[in-house]
Amino acid sequence: MKKGLNKLILPCLCCLSFYAGTQLVGKTEASFTSQAEAKPIKISTAFVFPSYIHGLEEKARISSEQIQKEHAGLEAFVKNGLLYGTADPPSEFLRKKEQITASLEELHIIRAELEKLDRQADKKEGYDFVSEGFLKVDKLLLQMNDSLYLQELEQLFNQTLQEREKEQQEEGIKTNKLDEDEKIEIPKQKIDHEETIEEQANLMEEHSVIKYQTQKDEEEEIANEESPENTE
């Protein structure tokens, strides 16, 4: 009897264990499924990266240094008169000015790009580097605008150019006047020389006439002395 009871209890315990296991696994699976549906995983991509902003900052820095170098060179050329050693000073000045303007325009383009990105990053977390890059380039552009004075350099160049052209014209007038004086002096000397030759010729002619007249008088006097009337 006891052995039969043991055989009956053992299968019952196995059934109870299996049932409890199925119930536990079902609740766990339902819990995971509920959590996955309530909080799905979302992956978002950044619209701009720090490396791109830093690249724009470096590009702006190089452009600003190029602008300062070109502006200092143009200033030296204008103030020291080095442009006048070229074949066409106005064209050379314009070429250098256009180089500076092109570099400055590139700096404006970089600033505009950063300004657009800064608007997109407004009120978004993790994009402080965009605003910092924009402020750096904006400040750099303001410094360039304050340090450049292309209009004043152009006015100084034009003023100096006009003065130089005026001096050259005055020197040309003086040279032409000297040439004209030389041309006038040469004919005058020629006339004086011709007058001297003419005077000498006149003197020689007068001398010949006097000599001829004297000789004629002497011949007449000799002839008179030898005539028969004078002999008697």
Side-chain angles (χ1 to χ4, degrees):
M1 184 68 181
K2 187 175 181 180
K3 290 182 179 179
L5 185 61
N6 290 336
K7 290 180 180 180
L8 181 63
I9 293 173
L10 184 60
C12 290
L13 290 174
C14 290
C15 291
L16 289 172
S17 298
F18 179 77
Y19 177 75
T22 56
Q23 293 296 318
L24 181 62
V25 172
K27 291 181 179 180
T28 306
E29 183 180 1
S31 177
F32 280 123
T33 304
S34 176
Q35 290 178 1
E37 291 176 354
K39 296 181 180 180
I41 299 174
K42 294 182 179 179
I43 300 175
S44 61
T45 305
F47 75 94
V48 67
F49 294 96
S51 59
Y52 180 71
I53 300 299
H54 296 332
L56 290 177
E57 291 178 20
E58 181 66 13
K59 200 173 180 181
R61 183 188 64 81
I62 294 173
S63 294
S64 65
E65 291 179 353
Q66 184 69 19
I67 291 170
Q68 289 177 339
K69 182 179 178 181
E70 292 172 350
H71 186 270
L74 181 60
E75 182 181 10
F77 269 84
V78 172
K79 292 186 176 180
N80 298 328
L82 299 178
L83 282 173
Y84 300 106
T86 60
D88 190 356
S91 298
E92 184 66 16
F93 178 87
L94 182 60
R95 185 184 68 81
K96 292 182 177 295
K97 180 184 175 183
E98 288 177 348
Q99 288 178 346
I100 298 173
T101 304
S103 299
L104 191 62
E105 182 64 23
E106 184 177 0
L107 193 58
H108 276 281
I109 292 173
I110 296 173
R111 182 197 176 279
E113 175 68 13
L114 286 170
E115 185 180 15
K116 181 182 72 173
L117 295 173
D118 185 50
R119 291 198 195 98
Q120 295 178 9
D122 188 29
K123 296 180 182 180
K124 291 183 180 180
E125 295 182 359
Y127 289 96
D128 294 338
F129 61 91
V130 179
S131 297
E132 292 174 359
F134 168 68
L135 292 175
K136 286 180 181 178
V137 175
D138 184 64
K139 183 178 179 181
L140 195 60
L141 183 58
L142 289 175
Q143 291 175 351
M144 290 296 98
N145 290 332
D146 292 339
S147 62
L148 301 181
Y149 51 99
L150 290 174
Q151 187 174 359
E152 290 81 356
L153 278 179
E154 188 170 7
Q155 290 176 354
L156 178 61
F157 172 76
N158 291 330
Q159 180 181 354
T160 307
L161 182 64
Q162 291 176 359
E163 293 176 354
R164 181 173 288 266
E165 290 177 348
K166 184 177 179 181
E167 291 176 357
Q168 291 177 348
Q169 289 177 356
E170 291 177 351
E171 290 178 358
I173 293 173
K174 290 180 180 179
T175 303
N176 292 334
K177 187 176 180 181
L178 290 174
D179 293 340
E180 290 176 358
D181 292 341
E182 289 179 357
K183 290 178 182 179
I184 293 173
E185 184 66 24
I186 290 173
K188 183 179 179 182
Q189 292 176 354
K190 186 176 180 181
I191 292 172
D192 293 341
H193 181 65
E194 290 176 352
E195 289 180 351
T196 303
I197 293 175
E198 187 177 356
E199 290 178 355
Q200 290 177 355
N202 292 333
L203 290 173
M204 291 178 66
E205 185 178 356
E206 290 178 0
H207 181 70
S208 298
V209 171
I210 294 172
K211 183 178 180 180
Y212 174 76
Q213 188 66 36
T214 303
Q215 185 177 1
K216 186 177 180 181
D217 292 341
E218 289 178 353
E219 289 177 354
E220 289 179 355
E221 185 177 353
I222 293 171
N224 292 330
E225 290 178 354
E226 292 178 354
S227 62
E229 293 178 358
N230 291 335
T231 303
E232 293 178 357

